[in-house]
PDB file of all heavy atoms in Angstrom:
ATOM      1  N   ARG L 459     -20.370 101.274 -13.114  1.00 98.00           N
ATOM      2  CA  ARG L 459     -20.336 102.620 -12.543  1.00 98.00           C
ATOM      3  C   ARG L 459     -18.941 102.844 -11.956  1.00 98.00           C
ATOM      4  O   ARG L 459     -18.559 102.179 -10.989  1.00 98.00           O
ATOM      5  CB  ARG L 459     -21.409 102.787 -11.465  1.00 98.00           C
ATOM      6  CG  ARG L 459     -22.829 102.452 -11.938  1.00 98.00           C
ATOM      7  CD  ARG L 459     -23.827 102.615 -10.802  1.00 98.00           C
ATOM      8  NE  ARG L 459     -25.116 102.047 -11.101  1.00 98.00           N
ATOM      9  CZ  ARG L 459     -26.093 102.680 -11.765  1.00 98.00           C
ATOM     10  NH1 ARG L 459     -25.887 103.906 -12.219  1.00 98.00           N
ATOM     11  NH2 ARG L 459     -27.251 102.087 -11.979  1.00 98.00           N
ATOM     12  N   ASN L 460     -18.224 103.805 -12.518  1.00 98.00           N
ATOM     13  CA  ASN L 460     -16.848 104.034 -12.078  1.00 98.00           C
ATOM     14  C   ASN L 460     -16.756 104.361 -10.595  1.00 98.00           C
ATOM     15  O   ASN L 460     -15.827 103.928  -9.904  1.00 98.00           O
ATOM     16  CB  ASN L 460     -16.217 105.166 -12.886  1.00 98.00           C
ATOM     17  CG  ASN L 460     -16.021 104.806 -14.349  1.00 98.00           C
ATOM     18  OD1 ASN L 460     -16.090 103.633 -14.721  1.00 98.00           O
ATOM     19  ND2 ASN L 460     -15.782 105.800 -15.187  1.00 98.00           N
ATOM     20  N   TRP L 461     -17.718 105.116 -10.106  1.00 98.00           N
ATOM     21  CA  TRP L 461     -17.645 105.541  -8.703  1.00 98.00           C
ATOM     22  C   TRP L 461     -17.827 104.368  -7.754  1.00 98.00           C
ATOM     23  O   TRP L 461     -17.226 104.348  -6.662  1.00 98.00           O
ATOM     24  CB  TRP L 461     -18.649 106.650  -8.419  1.00 98.00           C
ATOM     25  CG  TRP L 461     -20.100 106.295  -8.609  1.00 98.00           C
ATOM     26  CD1 TRP L 461     -20.843 106.413  -9.739  1.00 98.00           C
ATOM     27  CD2 TRP L 461     -20.978 105.763  -7.613  1.00 98.00           C
ATOM     28  NE1 TRP L 461     -22.129 105.993  -9.529  1.00 98.00           N
ATOM     29  CE2 TRP L 461     -22.252 105.601  -8.232  1.00 98.00           C
ATOM     30  CE3 TRP L 461     -20.838 105.424  -6.275  1.00 98.00           C
ATOM     31  CZ2 TRP L 461     -23.356 105.097  -7.542  1.00 98.00           C
ATOM     32  CZ3 TRP L 461     -21.935 104.926  -5.574  1.00 98.00           C
ATOM     33  CH2 TRP L 461     -23.179 104.759  -6.211  1.00 98.00           C
ATOM     34  N   VAL L 462     -18.631 103.393  -8.150  1.00 98.00           N
ATOM     35  CA  VAL L 462     -18.782 102.180  -7.336  1.00 98.00           C
ATOM     36  C   VAL L 462     -17.477 101.395  -7.316  1.00 98.00           C
ATOM     37  O   VAL L 462     -16.988 100.965  -6.264  1.00 98.00           O
ATOM     38  CB  VAL L 462     -19.930 101.297  -7.872  1.00 98.00           C
ATOM     39  CG1 VAL L 462     -19.938  99.938  -7.177  1.00 98.00           C
ATOM     40  CG2 VAL L 462     -21.281 101.991  -7.692  1.00 98.00           C
ATOM     41  N   ARG L 463     -16.914 101.195  -8.493  1.00 98.00           N
ATOM     42  CA  ARG L 463     -15.647 100.468  -8.611  1.00 98.00           C
ATOM     43  C   ARG L 463     -14.563 101.109  -7.751  1.00 98.00           C
ATOM     44  O   ARG L 463     -13.900 100.438  -6.954  1.00 98.00           O
ATOM     45  CB  ARG L 463     -15.224 100.477 -10.079  1.00 98.00           C
ATOM     46  CG  ARG L 463     -13.895  99.810 -10.387  1.00 98.00           C
ATOM     47  CD  ARG L 463     -13.379 100.276 -11.735  1.00 98.00           C
ATOM     48  NE  ARG L 463     -12.959 101.674 -11.712  1.00 98.00           N
ATOM     49  CZ  ARG L 463     -13.076 102.513 -12.727  1.00 98.00           C
ATOM     50  NH1 ARG L 463     -13.618 102.117 -13.870  1.00 98.00           N
ATOM     51  NH2 ARG L 463     -12.654 103.766 -12.617  1.00 98.00           N
ATOM     52  N   ASN L 464     -14.397 102.408  -7.889  1.00 98.00           N
ATOM     53  CA  ASN L 464     -13.333 103.099  -7.155  1.00 98.00           C
ATOM     54  C   ASN L 464     -13.561 103.054  -5.647  1.00 98.00           C
ATOM     55  O   ASN L 464     -12.633 102.808  -4.872  1.00 98.00           O
ATOM     56  CB  ASN L 464     -13.239 104.552  -7.616  1.00 98.00           C
ATOM     57  CG  ASN L 464     -12.827 104.682  -9.070  1.00 98.00           C
ATOM     58  OD1 ASN L 464     -12.241 103.767  -9.637  1.00 98.00           O
ATOM     59  ND2 ASN L 464     -13.140 105.814  -9.674  1.00 98.00           N
ATOM     60  N   ALA L 465     -14.801 103.293  -5.240  1.00 98.00           N
ATOM     61  CA  ALA L 465     -15.107 103.327  -3.810  1.00 98.00           C
ATOM     62  C   ALA L 465     -14.916 101.964  -3.164  1.00 98.00           C
ATOM     63  O   ALA L 465     -14.383 101.849  -2.052  1.00 98.00           O
ATOM     64  CB  ALA L 465     -16.536 103.822  -3.582  1.00 98.00           C
ATOM     65  N   ALA L 466     -15.345 100.907  -3.856  1.00 98.00           N
ATOM     66  CA  ALA L 466     -15.217  99.562  -3.291  1.00 98.00           C
ATOM     67  C   ALA L 466     -13.756  99.160  -3.143  1.00 98.00           C
ATOM     68  O   ALA L 466     -13.332  98.669  -2.085  1.00 98.00           O
ATOM     69  CB  ALA L 466     -15.961  98.552  -4.166  1.00 98.00           C
ATOM     70  N   ILE L 467     -12.976  99.379  -4.178  1.00 98.00           N
ATOM     71  CA  ILE L 467     -11.572  98.967  -4.133  1.00 98.00           C
ATOM     72  C   ILE L 467     -10.787  99.816  -3.142  1.00 98.00           C
ATOM     73  O   ILE L 467      -9.956  99.292  -2.383  1.00 98.00           O
ATOM     74  CB  ILE L 467     -10.953  99.021  -5.535  1.00 98.00           C
ATOM     75  CG1 ILE L 467     -11.609  97.955  -6.430  1.00 98.00           C
ATOM     76  CG2 ILE L 467      -9.439  98.815  -5.489  1.00 98.00           C
ATOM     77  CD1 ILE L 467     -11.157  97.968  -7.870  1.00 98.00           C
ATOM     78  N   ALA L 468     -11.063 101.113  -3.102  1.00 98.00           N
ATOM     79  CA  ALA L 468     -10.359 101.979  -2.149  1.00 98.00           C
ATOM     80  C   ALA L 468     -10.612 101.532  -0.718  1.00 98.00           C
ATOM     81  O   ALA L 468      -9.688 101.483   0.110  1.00 98.00           O
ATOM     82  CB  ALA L 468     -10.786 103.433  -2.341  1.00 98.00           C
ATOM     83  N   ARG L 469     -11.872 101.190  -0.418  1.00 98.00           N
ATOM     84  CA  ARG L 469     -12.166 100.782   0.955  1.00 98.00           C
ATOM     85  C   ARG L 469     -11.498  99.456   1.303  1.00 98.00           C
ATOM     86  O   ARG L 469     -10.948  99.295   2.391  1.00 98.00           O
ATOM     87  CB  ARG L 469     -13.671 100.663   1.188  1.00 98.00           C
ATOM     88  CG  ARG L 469     -13.989 100.339   2.663  1.00 98.00           C
ATOM     89  CD  ARG L 469     -15.464 100.179   2.945  1.00 98.00           C
ATOM     90  NE  ARG L 469     -16.193 101.406   2.695  1.00 98.00           N
ATOM     91  CZ  ARG L 469     -17.504 101.544   2.975  1.00 98.00           C
ATOM     92  NH1 ARG L 469     -18.186 100.541   3.509  1.00 98.00           N
ATOM     93  NH2 ARG L 469     -18.113 102.690   2.718  1.00 98.00           N
ATOM     94  N   ILE L 470     -11.516  98.507   0.383  1.00 98.00           N
ATOM     95  CA  ILE L 470     -10.916  97.202   0.663  1.00 98.00           C
ATOM     96  C   ILE L 470      -9.402  97.331   0.831  1.00 98.00           C
ATOM     97  O   ILE L 470      -8.812  96.722   1.727  1.00 98.00           O
ATOM     98  CB  ILE L 470     -11.272  96.197  -0.444  1.00 98.00           C
ATOM     99  CG1 ILE L 470     -12.776  95.908  -0.438  1.00 98.00           C
ATOM    100  CG2 ILE L 470     -10.490  94.888  -0.261  1.00 98.00           C
ATOM    101  CD1 ILE L 470     -13.264  95.105  -1.628  1.00 98.00           C
ATOM    102  N   VAL L 471      -8.770  98.135  -0.020  1.00 98.00           N
ATOM    103  CA  VAL L 471      -7.322  98.348   0.118  1.00 98.00           C
ATOM    104  C   VAL L 471      -7.014  99.025   1.443  1.00 98.00           C
ATOM    105  O   VAL L 471      -6.080  98.626   2.165  1.00 98.00           O
ATOM    106  CB  VAL L 471      -6.779  99.180  -1.056  1.00 98.00           C
ATOM    107  CG1 VAL L 471      -5.323  99.580  -0.805  1.00 98.00           C
ATOM    108  CG2 VAL L 471      -6.883  98.399  -2.365  1.00 98.00           C
ATOM    109  N   ARG L 472      -7.783 100.056   1.773  1.00 97.00           N
ATOM    110  CA  ARG L 472      -7.547 100.745   3.055  1.00 97.00           C
ATOM    111  C   ARG L 472      -7.714  99.792   4.232  1.00 97.00           C
ATOM    112  O   ARG L 472      -6.853  99.747   5.119  1.00 97.00           O
ATOM    113  CB  ARG L 472      -8.514 101.920   3.200  1.00 97.00           C
ATOM    114  CG  ARG L 472      -8.411 102.599   4.567  1.00 97.00           C
ATOM    115  CD  ARG L 472      -9.404 103.721   4.739  1.00 97.00           C
ATOM    116  NE  ARG L 472      -9.271 104.347   6.051  1.00 97.00           N
ATOM    117  CZ  ARG L 472      -9.892 105.471   6.413  1.00 97.00           C
ATOM    118  NH1 ARG L 472     -10.676 106.096   5.561  1.00 97.00           N
ATOM    119  NH2 ARG L 472      -9.714 105.965   7.631  1.00 97.00           N
ATOM    120  N   GLU L 473      -8.804  99.027   4.244  1.00 97.00           N
ATOM    121  CA  GLU L 473      -9.037  98.125   5.366  1.00 97.00           C
ATOM    122  C   GLU L 473      -7.968  97.040   5.450  1.00 97.00           C
ATOM    123  O   GLU L 473      -7.597  96.616   6.551  1.00 97.00           O
ATOM    124  CB  GLU L 473     -10.428  97.508   5.241  1.00 97.00           C
ATOM    125  CG  GLU L 473     -11.557  98.506   5.472  1.00 97.00           C
ATOM    126  CD  GLU L 473     -12.947  97.898   5.341  1.00 97.00           C
ATOM    127  OE1 GLU L 473     -13.056  96.778   4.778  1.00 97.00           O
ATOM    128  OE2 GLU L 473     -13.914  98.524   5.784  1.00 97.00           O
TER     129      GLU L 473
END
Side-chain angles (χ1 to χ4, degrees):
R459 305 179 192 275
N460 293 345
W461 62 270
V462 171
R463 178 199 70 214
N464 296 339
I467 293 176
R469 184 181 297 185
I470 294 171
V471 171
R472 175 182 180 171
E473 290 180 344

